[in-house]
PDB file of all heavy atoms in Angstrom:
ATOM      1  N   HIS A   3       0.291   4.189  -0.819  1.00 90.00           N
ATOM      2  CA  HIS A   3      -0.399   5.457  -0.584  1.00 90.00           C
ATOM      3  C   HIS A   3      -0.572   5.768   0.898  1.00 90.00           C
ATOM      4  O   HIS A   3      -1.128   6.796   1.247  1.00 90.00           O
ATOM      5  CB  HIS A   3      -1.770   5.443  -1.267  1.00 90.00           C
ATOM      6  CG  HIS A   3      -1.675   5.268  -2.750  1.00 90.00           C
ATOM      7  ND1 HIS A   3      -1.316   6.287  -3.593  1.00 90.00           N
ATOM      8  CD2 HIS A   3      -1.837   4.184  -3.526  1.00 90.00           C
ATOM      9  CE1 HIS A   3      -1.288   5.845  -4.832  1.00 90.00           C
ATOM     10  NE2 HIS A   3      -1.603   4.563  -4.819  1.00 90.00           N
ATOM     11  N   ILE A   4      -0.099   4.886   1.766  1.00 91.00           N
ATOM     12  CA  ILE A   4      -0.199   5.110   3.209  1.00 91.00           C
ATOM     13  C   ILE A   4       1.104   5.741   3.685  1.00 91.00           C
ATOM     14  O   ILE A   4       2.179   5.232   3.432  1.00 91.00           O
ATOM     15  CB  ILE A   4      -0.447   3.787   3.957  1.00 91.00           C
ATOM     16  CG1 ILE A   4      -1.771   3.174   3.533  1.00 91.00           C
ATOM     17  CG2 ILE A   4      -0.442   4.015   5.455  1.00 91.00           C
ATOM     18  CD1 ILE A   4      -2.047   1.819   4.149  1.00 91.00           C
ATOM     19  N   ARG A   5       0.969   6.874   4.374  1.00 92.00           N
ATOM     20  CA  ARG A   5       2.140   7.535   4.948  1.00 92.00           C
ATOM     21  C   ARG A   5       2.258   7.161   6.421  1.00 92.00           C
ATOM     22  O   ARG A   5       1.279   6.827   7.061  1.00 92.00           O
ATOM     23  CB  ARG A   5       1.995   9.042   4.803  1.00 92.00           C
ATOM     24  CG  ARG A   5       2.017   9.502   3.345  1.00 92.00           C
ATOM     25  CD  ARG A   5       1.889  10.996   3.270  1.00 92.00           C
ATOM     26  NE  ARG A   5       0.679  11.447   3.941  1.00 92.00           N
ATOM     27  CZ  ARG A   5      -0.427  11.851   3.326  1.00 92.00           C
ATOM     28  NH1 ARG A   5      -0.474  11.860   2.024  1.00 92.00           N
ATOM     29  NH2 ARG A   5      -1.471  12.253   3.999  1.00 92.00           N
ATOM     30  N   HIS A   6       3.478   7.254   6.964  1.00 94.00           N
ATOM     31  CA  HIS A   6       3.721   6.889   8.354  1.00 94.00           C
ATOM     32  C   HIS A   6       3.649   8.109   9.257  1.00 94.00           C
ATOM     33  O   HIS A   6       4.063   9.199   8.895  1.00 94.00           O
ATOM     34  CB  HIS A   6       5.099   6.252   8.503  1.00 94.00           C
ATOM     35  CG  HIS A   6       5.455   5.966   9.923  1.00 94.00           C
ATOM     36  ND1 HIS A   6       4.833   4.961  10.643  1.00 94.00           N
ATOM     37  CD2 HIS A   6       6.324   6.549  10.772  1.00 94.00           C
ATOM     38  CE1 HIS A   6       5.330   4.940  11.870  1.00 94.00           C
ATOM     39  NE2 HIS A   6       6.243   5.901  11.970  1.00 94.00           N
ATOM     40  N   THR A   7       3.094   7.898  10.452  1.00 92.00           N
ATOM     41  CA  THR A   7       3.124   8.885  11.514  1.00 92.00           C
ATOM     42  C   THR A   7       3.444   8.156  12.810  1.00 92.00           C
ATOM     43  O   THR A   7       3.118   6.989  12.960  1.00 92.00           O
ATOM     44  CB  THR A   7       1.790   9.648  11.626  1.00 92.00           C
ATOM     45  OG1 THR A   7       1.904  10.630  12.643  1.00 92.00           O
ATOM     46  CG2 THR A   7       0.634   8.728  11.938  1.00 92.00           C
ATOM     47  N   ASN A   8       4.093   8.843  13.725  1.00 93.00           N
ATOM     48  CA  ASN A   8       4.442   8.216  14.992  1.00 93.00           C
ATOM     49  C   ASN A   8       3.290   8.223  15.984  1.00 93.00           C
ATOM     50  O   ASN A   8       3.390   7.627  17.044  1.00 93.00           O
ATOM     51  CB  ASN A   8       5.662   8.914  15.605  1.00 93.00           C
ATOM     52  CG  ASN A   8       6.918   8.589  14.836  1.00 93.00           C
ATOM     53  OD1 ASN A   8       7.076   7.489  14.329  1.00 93.00           O
ATOM     54  ND2 ASN A   8       7.803   9.549  14.717  1.00 93.00           N
ATOM     55  N   ASP A   9       2.217   8.916  15.669  1.00 90.00           N
ATOM     56  CA  ASP A   9       1.034   8.912  16.535  1.00 90.00           C
ATOM     57  C   ASP A   9       0.423   7.521  16.544  1.00 90.00           C
ATOM     58  O   ASP A   9       0.677   6.714  15.664  1.00 90.00           O
ATOM     59  CB  ASP A   9      -0.006   9.921  16.044  1.00 90.00           C
ATOM     60  CG  ASP A   9       0.542  11.342  16.032  1.00 90.00           C
ATOM     61  OD1 ASP A   9       1.494  11.614  16.797  1.00 90.00           O
ATOM     62  OD2 ASP A   9       0.023  12.157  15.260  1.00 90.00           O
ATOM     63  N   GLY A  10      -0.420   7.257  17.513  1.00 89.00           N
ATOM     64  CA  GLY A  10      -1.088   5.963  17.609  1.00 89.00           C
ATOM     65  C   GLY A  10      -2.338   5.903  16.753  1.00 89.00           C
ATOM     66  O   GLY A  10      -3.403   5.547  17.232  1.00 89.00           O
ATOM     67  N   VAL A  11      -2.196   6.231  15.494  1.00 93.00           N
ATOM     68  CA  VAL A  11      -3.337   6.286  14.582  1.00 93.00           C
ATOM     69  C   VAL A  11      -3.400   4.996  13.786  1.00 93.00           C
ATOM     70  O   VAL A  11      -2.490   4.682  13.028  1.00 93.00           O
ATOM     71  CB  VAL A  11      -3.217   7.495  13.629  1.00 93.00           C
ATOM     72  CG1 VAL A  11      -4.366   7.522  12.642  1.00 93.00           C
ATOM     73  CG2 VAL A  11      -3.144   8.788  14.409  1.00 93.00           C
ATOM     74  N   GLY A  12      -4.496   4.259  13.976  1.00 93.00           N
ATOM     75  CA  GLY A  12      -4.719   3.055  13.197  1.00 93.00           C
ATOM     76  C   GLY A  12      -5.390   3.392  11.875  1.00 93.00           C
ATOM     77  O   GLY A  12      -5.749   4.541  11.610  1.00 93.00           O
ATOM     78  N   LEU A  13      -5.590   2.389  11.069  1.00 94.00           N
ATOM     79  CA  LEU A  13      -6.159   2.598   9.740  1.00 94.00           C
ATOM     80  C   LEU A  13      -7.598   3.103   9.810  1.00 94.00           C
ATOM     81  O   LEU A  13      -7.977   4.001   9.069  1.00 94.00           O
ATOM     82  CB  LEU A  13      -6.071   1.302   8.933  1.00 94.00           C
ATOM     83  CG  LEU A  13      -6.376   1.392   7.454  1.00 94.00           C
ATOM     84  CD1 LEU A  13      -5.500   2.427   6.767  1.00 94.00           C
ATOM     85  CD2 LEU A  13      -6.177   0.037   6.796  1.00 94.00           C
ATOM     86  N   GLY A  14      -8.394   2.555  10.717  1.00 93.00           N
ATOM     87  CA  GLY A  14      -9.784   2.998  10.838  1.00 93.00           C
ATOM     88  C   GLY A  14      -9.889   4.455  11.244  1.00 93.00           C
ATOM     89  O   GLY A  14     -10.690   5.216  10.696  1.00 93.00           O
TER      90      GLY A  14
END
Side-chain angles (χ1 to χ4, degrees):
H3 299 283
I4 298 176
R5 294 181 303 255
H6 175 71
T7 182
N8 288 325
D9 300 336
V11 178
L13 191 55

